[in-house]
Amino acid sequence: MRFTRKERRRRRTAHFAVSQFQGNRIPFGLGMRLLYERWRHGRHAPFMMHEPGPPSFYKPAKPSDVEGFEIHPVGRGVDGVVPLGYQSYVWLPNPAWKWVEPNHDGAIEFDSNDQEATLMAIPVKWSEVAAANGQRMDRKSRWHEICGTFAGHGQRAQSPTQNWTWAPQEQNIEQSAVVVLADLLSRWTSPNDRCLCGKWEGGSDWDSKVHLSFPGWSYYIWSCRFEEVITWLKQPDSYERSSHMPHVIWPEDRSWFLAILYSGISSYVAGPRDLIDSILKSEVEAYEVEPSDQAH
């Protein structure tokens, strides 16, 4: 089911409000407001009282699926979100966005969360933003160091003359990046190969008996086929896609590991040297990193 931008924003806002009180009593005023919204918006509002579990293609995982990972006990960088022991690691920054006219080549619908009108935008790589601001882009670059000046509100650029309008979005991996990664990862993992997917425990109804824990992060783990999770991630942006975004993905043979940061504007892939080299040579913006590097 697809929803309008306004409806997606209302759903996200309501789910966030409820998630803050999971396991506790919802304040009377908030509860009455959510009941009113549920009555007002009919069948589109049950989500306001409960987030459904994972999509039906997920199956229970096994304890052995998470045993034996080399997890840094106090990792505070990339080693705090991706297991150790892989040959190479790569950072994939989420793009910034430039608002454009609807007929602009390559423009797609964009949701900035503070606009009622439909907006169109094109993705802008960090390297392009850095170059426009006379900055050098490398694996340790931070968004606030290369982007120029923010406006006083939200994540907008201060001036329309800047080559970006809206900063990279959190807890997401762009559909275009998934298409490229799917092709590269398929050289190591076949469509029917079993994979494991995890979603951060905070504010989630993905509850499962199998958990994968990093310093500061713990994930509910489910299993599926590689083709199933990739098909899910290849779909256009929607409330359903974002609400069920897996934050960690790996094949049963652990040949690679993908982390989509919940509270960050990046993803990371760990794997064999050949895989990382292929990502670095692809059209996806990517930078090789060390496990000890600060995560973005």
Side-chain angles (χ1 to χ4, degrees):
M1 182 183 298
R2 298 298 302 279
F3 295 90
T4 64
R5 172 178 287 103
K6 187 174 182 179
E7 184 64 32
R8 293 202 302 268
R9 181 161 54 251
R10 181 163 50 236
R11 289 165 70 94
R12 280 194 294 265
T13 301
H15 167 62
F16 173 79
V18 172
S19 70
Q20 305 311 297
F21 298 98
Q22 278 200 334
N24 301 296
R25 183 177 180 181
I26 297 176
F28 177 79
L30 175 60
M32 292 300 293
R33 177 62 182 175
L34 294 178
L35 287 172
Y36 167 72
E37 291 291 344
R38 186 172 184 175
W39 167 80
R40 180 185 176 193
H41 299 290
R43 68 184 181 88
H44 292 319
F47 69 90
M48 292 183 171
M49 303 305 292
H50 179 72
E51 179 194 4
S56 60
F57 61 79
Y58 283 107
K59 308 302 179 185
K62 302 176 292 186
S64 60
D65 290 326
V66 297
E67 293 173 354
F69 269 123
E70 187 180 349
I71 305 297
H72 197 298
V74 291
R76 293 187 173 86
V78 176
D79 55 8
V81 294
V82 181
L84 299 173
Y86 286 93
Q87 282 187 326
S88 305
Y89 298 76
V90 68
W91 162 46
L92 311 177
N94 291 343
W97 295 89
K98 178 68 176 179
W99 295 347
V100 296
E101 295 296 325
N103 60 352
H104 192 286
D105 184 37
I108 62 175
E109 185 176 336
F110 179 76
D111 185 359
S112 67
N113 295 330
D114 77 338
Q115 296 287 325
E116 293 295 327
T118 297
L119 298 171
M120 304 300 289
I122 55 173
V124 183
K125 292 182 177 180
W126 286 39
S127 58
E128 297 170 353
V129 174
N133 290 297
Q135 301 294 321
R136 179 176 176 271
M137 181 69 196
D138 60 33
R139 78 176 205 266
K140 295 186 178 181
S141 295
R142 317 298 294 179
W143 174 250
H144 70 273
E145 297 171 343
I146 64 149
C147 67
T149 310
F150 281 93
H153 173 68
Q155 298 295 307
R156 294 187 196 178
Q158 185 178 59
S159 169
T161 62
Q162 291 178 246
N163 71 332
W164 65 279
T165 309
W166 199 263
Q169 295 182 304
E170 292 186 341
Q171 52 188 290
N172 191 29
I173 184 169
E174 295 302 326
Q175 180 188 27
S176 58
V178 174
V179 171
V180 176
L181 285 178
D183 178 60
L184 301 178
L185 294 173
S186 66
R187 303 174 191 178
W188 278 263
T189 305
S190 299
N192 288 322
D193 284 352
R194 183 171 177 268
C195 281
L196 289 306
C197 296
K199 187 173 176 64
W200 176 53
E201 290 182 354
S204 172
D205 276 0
W206 274 38
D207 195 7
S208 67
K209 296 181 179 179
V210 179
H211 297 190
L212 176 65
S213 296
F214 289 87
W217 296 97
S218 188
Y219 302 94
Y220 295 132
I221 303 300
W222 293 80
S223 71
C224 65
R225 293 186 297 115
F226 178 65
E227 183 179 41
E228 292 170 327
V229 66
I230 290 298
T231 298
W232 180 268
L233 291 174
K234 281 184 177 179
Q235 67 178 302
D237 187 37
S238 66
Y239 171 78
E240 286 73 21
R241 181 182 186 271
S242 62
S243 66
H244 294 304
M245 177 72 67
H247 300 126
V248 290
I249 306 170
W250 71 92
E252 189 172 31
D253 65 7
R254 303 187 183 183
S255 55
W256 51 266
F257 191 101
L258 168 63
I260 302 168
L261 300 196
Y262 177 82
S263 63
I265 52 178
S266 307
S267 297
Y268 292 90
V269 179
R273 182 73 255 173
D274 289 350
L275 170 60
I276 301 308
D277 283 343
S278 68
I279 295 174
L280 292 170
K281 294 175 183 176
S282 74
E283 57 266 42
V284 174
E285 185 171 22
Y287 302 88
E288 187 167 3
V289 293
E290 297 294 332
S292 58
D293 287 346
Q294 184 177 2
H296 294 76

